[in-house]
Amino acid sequence: MKTFLKNFLAVFLVLLVVAGILGLTRANQDKKPETVDVAKLVQEINAGTVKKVTVQGDTLTAEMKDANAKSQEVKKEAGESFGDVMKNYGVSDVARAGVAVEIKDESSWKFWAMNLLPAIVPLVIIMVFLYFMTRSVQGGNNKAMGFGQSNPKQFDPENKNRKTFADVAGAKEAKQELEEIVDFLKDPKKFSDMGAKIPKGVLLMGSPGTGKTLMARAVAGEAGVPFFHMSGSEFVEMFVGVGASRVRDLFAKAKKAAPAIIFIDEIDAVGRRRGTGLGGGHDEREQTLNQILVEMDGFETNIGIIIMAATNRPDVLDPALLRPGRFDRRVTIDMPDIKDREEILKIHAKGKPLDENVSLSKLAQRTPGFSGADLDNLLNEAAILAVRRGKKTVGESEVLESVEKVLLGPERKNRVTSERDKKMTAYHEAGHAVVGHFMPHCDPIRKVSVISRGSAGGYTLHMPESDKHYQTVSQFKDMLAMMMGGYVVEKLIFGDEMLSTGPSSDLRNATKTARAMVMHYGMSSKLGPRTFGEHEEMIFLGKEIHEQRDYSDETARQIDAEIKELVEQAEKRAREVVLAQKEKMEALVAELMIKETVEQEDVLRILGERPQV
């Protein structure tokens, strides 16, 4: 109500002022003389209706005898007197004698304005132009002088939106490691009295989306100290020396605010291994890295400053960064397990009206391998889908569909598919489902669909019942057989001549898996328990070479032969399962042609119980 009264009063005052201005303007317009020509004035003087004429400069103002008549204003030629005007226009002496004439001096400000303005205005324009030009040049100089300064994002410890460990779900071991950092920042004397030195640098390692940056902000929030955040790529510029200058400036700002935390995200952008022979010692990235090394552990000690960094590529970092005295504590943030996923889902579910039938524990079971960022994206996609469908709450159908969207991409129901292509896709996906269902070491089949998602024409969704940390030879071989299921069914049903491009991604994944078994995991009975190829990164001409060959040509031929044998064995096993369960496969294909999507319950109804391990 108070706001309404204030707004009403403001509007009323504005309207009152406008009305007053308009009234004064109109009054002035009513009093303003009428502008006429000389002939008209002469006519009025001859008619005897003019009472008085006032002469001021080149302006003649005639006041009429009739009080209701408006005054008249005439412009005469410069240097011509009123008498000359009257004489030239033939005004009689009698008529002129009946008019009172008043001579007024021209106002001084008009005189000076008419004489000085033509010279002053161009001068003022030039001075204003020069002023703005000078300001722009000074701004450019200031930018040039501040080019080597860092511009870190600084988070105030008193900020209401600061993060704490309560905002980070899971990662219990990582929290325990970082609690010591918090204790040191809160009470450094407790450690110094014991003669203990807190680690200078903490390197957070983990896969993308596991919450490394969030964990660093939580440490700053728990400790209540200033937090300086920069990305590794923000140091490097096209000019040599700028990166090193920004590193010095960043540490200087942190020293003034000590105790403080410096956090460098994606440090591998500047911390890659030196001495590759590319770029030389004057490479800008290497100079920036050298300055970071000096600031972390040089002649000058940085008391009260803890450097935190995050990377998902710790294998490419320079060894000098990882030695004691620099990043001497490394905290690994793993992918969340089922309990951690449930806690993360509870945090991201805040503010989202979930339906009663949505179980976060079941959702955690359906999302193995999901990172914290994936789970956040999942619930966000579910909320968007609920809004799109006009619902007031987020239901189980939206949540489960979002799982598939995050894994496989958006559903493309409007894609035009012929009946023949749909049938081929149904047989292809049914082949994957049947082989995966009857292979005891494969994950359970959750859904089979012929609806296109992402780049796939159809999909067979299989997920484990619990988290897996190791893969066995039996699991790899059963997975290979399932990958070959679609290829086998297409050859069996449509023949070699009608084999499509559909199984190409399956063949590529099967070859990749078999190669990993032989070369990386030592799972070849013929080649023995050893690995092949040194996996050191080197960048040349913009390409990354991940493997350096450390075996002979003869061994390479044996590796190829072993990979081929694994894939062919998988094809043979898949063919045996498909032939033995052909009737059930046909029933699943018929269901897919009608419903397009078959859920786990219907898969079990059609194919029966799975064989036990």
Side-chain angles (χ1 to χ4, degrees):
M1 188 65 182
K2 291 182 179 179
T3 306
F4 172 77
L5 290 175
K6 288 181 180 179
N7 294 336
F8 176 78
L9 183 60
V11 172
F12 177 76
L13 290 175
V14 170
L15 293 176
L16 187 63
V17 171
V18 171
I21 294 172
L22 291 176
L24 290 174
T25 304
R26 186 166 184 177
N28 291 332
Q29 287 179 349
D30 291 340
K31 294 179 181 179
K32 187 176 181 181
E34 181 184 2
T35 302
V36 297
D37 56 7
V38 178
K40 174 70 174 173
L41 178 61
V42 169
Q43 183 181 355
E44 295 289 348
I45 292 175
N46 288 329
T49 58
V50 178
K51 178 182 178 181
K52 179 181 178 182
V53 174
T54 302
V55 181
Q56 186 174 13
D58 298 333
T59 304
L60 304 177
T61 305
E63 183 181 345
M64 315 304 278
K65 291 181 179 180
D66 186 359
N68 296 325
K70 292 183 68 173
S71 300
Q72 295 181 357
E73 187 177 271
V74 177
K75 290 288 185 181
K76 66 181 182 65
E77 293 183 10
E80 189 178 18
S81 66
F82 175 70
D84 294 338
V85 174
M86 295 297 100
K87 185 177 181 181
N88 292 337
Y89 278 86
V91 178
S92 65
D93 295 338
V94 177
R96 189 171 58 177
V99 178
V101 179
E102 181 183 0
I103 308 297
K104 286 187 177 181
D105 294 332
E106 192 174 3
S107 60
S108 60
W109 71 269
K110 287 186 178 180
F111 173 79
W112 288 108
M114 293 297 294
N115 287 277
L116 294 180
L117 280 180
I120 292 176
V121 171
L123 183 62
V124 170
I125 293 174
I126 293 173
M127 292 178 66
V128 170
F129 176 75
L130 291 176
Y131 172 74
F132 282 107
M133 286 290 293
T134 306
R135 284 194 61 183
S136 63
V137 171
Q138 289 178 350
N141 290 334
N142 291 334
K143 290 180 180 179
M145 294 298 293
F147 197 69
Q149 295 181 359
S150 63
N151 295 305
K153 301 177 185 69
Q154 185 173 355
F155 296 93
D156 191 351
E158 302 299 328
N159 192 341
K160 295 180 180 179
N161 297 323
R162 67 176 185 174
K163 300 296 182 181
T164 62
F165 284 150
D167 300 309
V168 184
K172 297 179 178 62
E173 294 80 6
K175 289 180 183 178
Q176 292 174 359
E177 291 284 332
L178 295 173
E179 281 176 357
E180 294 180 4
I181 307 297
V182 175
D183 291 340
F184 171 77
L185 291 169
K186 287 182 176 180
D187 188 11
K189 189 175 183 301
K190 179 173 63 175
F191 291 86
S192 60
D193 291 344
M194 192 62 65
K197 296 180 181 179
I198 201 68
K200 293 184 179 180
V202 180
L203 182 63
L204 302 178
M205 304 181 298
S207 301
T210 51
K212 300 182 290 296
T213 304
L214 181 62
M215 187 69 76
R217 292 185 62 184
V219 171
E222 290 283 344
V225 298
F227 180 75
F228 297 88
H229 174 206
M230 283 190 71
S231 172
S233 60
E234 292 183 64
F235 292 104
V236 181
E237 290 282 354
M238 63 181 293
F239 300 107
V240 175
V242 172
S245 175
R246 289 182 177 177
V247 171
R248 290 190 293 269
D249 185 67
L250 173 62
F251 276 83
K253 290 178 179 177
K255 289 174 186 177
K256 293 179 181 178
I261 293 176
I262 293 176
F263 179 61
I264 305 175
D265 202 1
E266 305 295 346
I267 194 173
D268 51 275
V270 292
R272 288 174 180 258
R273 186 187 299 268
R274 295 169 295 175
T276 58
L278 300 173
H282 297 288
D283 180 53
E284 169 65 4
R285 181 182 57 80
E286 290 195 5
Q287 287 198 29
T288 305
L289 174 58
N290 291 337
Q291 189 63 44
I292 292 176
L293 297 175
V294 171
E295 292 289 345
M296 290 187 69
D297 188 22
F299 282 101
E300 185 179 357
T301 57
N302 296 317
I303 301 175
I305 299 176
I306 290 179
I307 300 94
M308 300 184 70
T311 181
N312 50 23
R313 296 293 308 276
D315 54 309
V316 305
L317 295 180
D318 192 277
L321 269 176
L322 305 178
R323 74 157 175 83
R326 291 190 176 124
F327 285 111
D328 38 18
R329 175 164 295 192
R330 304 167 204 173
V331 179
T332 302
I333 303 179
D334 296 320
M335 297 292 283
D337 57 18
I338 185 171
K339 293 182 180 179
D340 293 341
R341 290 197 297 274
E342 186 175 355
E343 293 179 7
I344 294 172
L345 286 169
K346 288 179 181 178
I347 290 178
H348 293 308
K350 293 179 181 178
K352 296 180 176 65
L354 298 180
D355 199 15
E356 295 179 356
N357 62 353
V358 177
S359 173
L360 296 181
S361 59
K362 290 183 179 179
L363 183 58
Q365 295 176 0
R366 294 288 295 267
T367 53
F370 275 49
S371 65
D374 291 331
L375 296 173
D376 183 18
N377 185 34
L378 186 154
L379 289 180
N380 186 60
E381 290 289 347
I384 293 174
L385 189 59
V387 172
R388 190 182 303 165
R389 293 176 177 176
K391 293 186 175 182
K392 299 297 183 182
T393 58
V394 181
E396 186 178 20
S397 60
E398 287 80 25
V399 172
L400 295 179
E401 187 169 340
S402 298
V403 174
E404 299 170 21
K405 184 175 182 180
V406 173
L407 284 174
L408 305 170
E411 194 175 62
R412 297 192 293 172
K413 286 186 177 181
N414 296 328
R415 182 180 180 183
V416 179
T417 306
S418 65
E419 193 69 17
R420 177 182 173 279
D421 289 346
K422 183 178 179 181
K423 184 176 182 181
M424 185 174 287
T425 303
Y427 271 107
H428 181 98
E429 299 303 333
H432 286 307
V434 169
V435 176
H437 183 80
F438 289 100
M439 289 293 169
H441 295 97
C442 282
D443 298 329
I445 305 299
R446 305 288 185 178
K447 179 185 281 190
V448 186
S449 177
V450 295
I451 298 175
S452 176
R453 273 192 179 274
S455 60
Y459 60 95
T460 300
L461 188 63
H462 57 99
M463 289 184 177
E465 295 177 344
S466 60
D467 293 321
K468 290 182 179 180
H469 300 287
Y470 302 102
Q471 294 280 355
T472 64
V473 176
S474 299
Q475 289 173 340
F476 274 123
K477 288 184 176 180
D478 285 2
M479 285 171 55
L480 283 173
M482 181 181 176
M483 292 177 190
M484 299 299 295
Y487 173 79
V488 167
V489 169
E490 284 199 23
K491 286 185 66 175
L492 184 66
I493 301 299
F494 301 101
D496 294 341
E497 297 297 327
M498 296 299 293
L499 190 65
S500 71
T501 57
S504 59
S505 61
D506 298 328
L507 298 178
R508 183 167 56 252
N509 291 332
T511 304
K512 185 178 179 180
T513 302
R515 182 179 295 277
M517 291 174 64
V518 175
M519 299 186 66
H520 302 164
Y521 305 135
M523 294 180 176
S524 171
S525 58
K526 295 181 180 179
L527 295 173
R530 62 157 292 189
T531 61
F532 301 91
E534 295 182 3
H535 300 279
E536 295 183 358
E537 184 184 79
M538 182 176 68
I539 302 178
F540 183 69
L541 296 179
K543 296 183 179 180
E544 293 186 359
I545 304 173
H546 293 279
E547 182 179 296
Q548 183 177 356
R549 184 167 171 173
D550 61 350
Y551 47 88
S552 64
D553 293 339
E554 179 61 30
T555 304
R557 282 191 288 271
Q558 294 178 10
I559 291 173
D560 290 339
E562 189 72 0
I563 294 171
K564 181 181 178 182
E565 184 176 348
L566 284 171
V567 175
E568 288 178 347
Q569 286 179 359
E571 181 187 2
K572 181 180 178 182
R573 294 180 67 203
R575 182 180 294 274
E576 291 174 355
V577 172
V578 168
L579 291 175
Q581 308 294 336
K582 189 174 181 181
E583 292 183 1
K584 294 181 178 180
M585 183 188 70
E586 293 288 351
L588 180 58
V589 170
E591 191 88 0
L592 285 170
M593 293 297 291
I594 297 172
K595 294 184 177 181
E596 292 187 336
T597 299
V598 180
E599 297 289 345
Q600 184 177 10
E601 296 78 9
D602 293 327
V603 172
L604 291 174
R605 175 179 56 82
I606 296 171
L607 301 182
E609 295 296 327
R610 296 191 65 198
Q612 299 297 322
V613 179

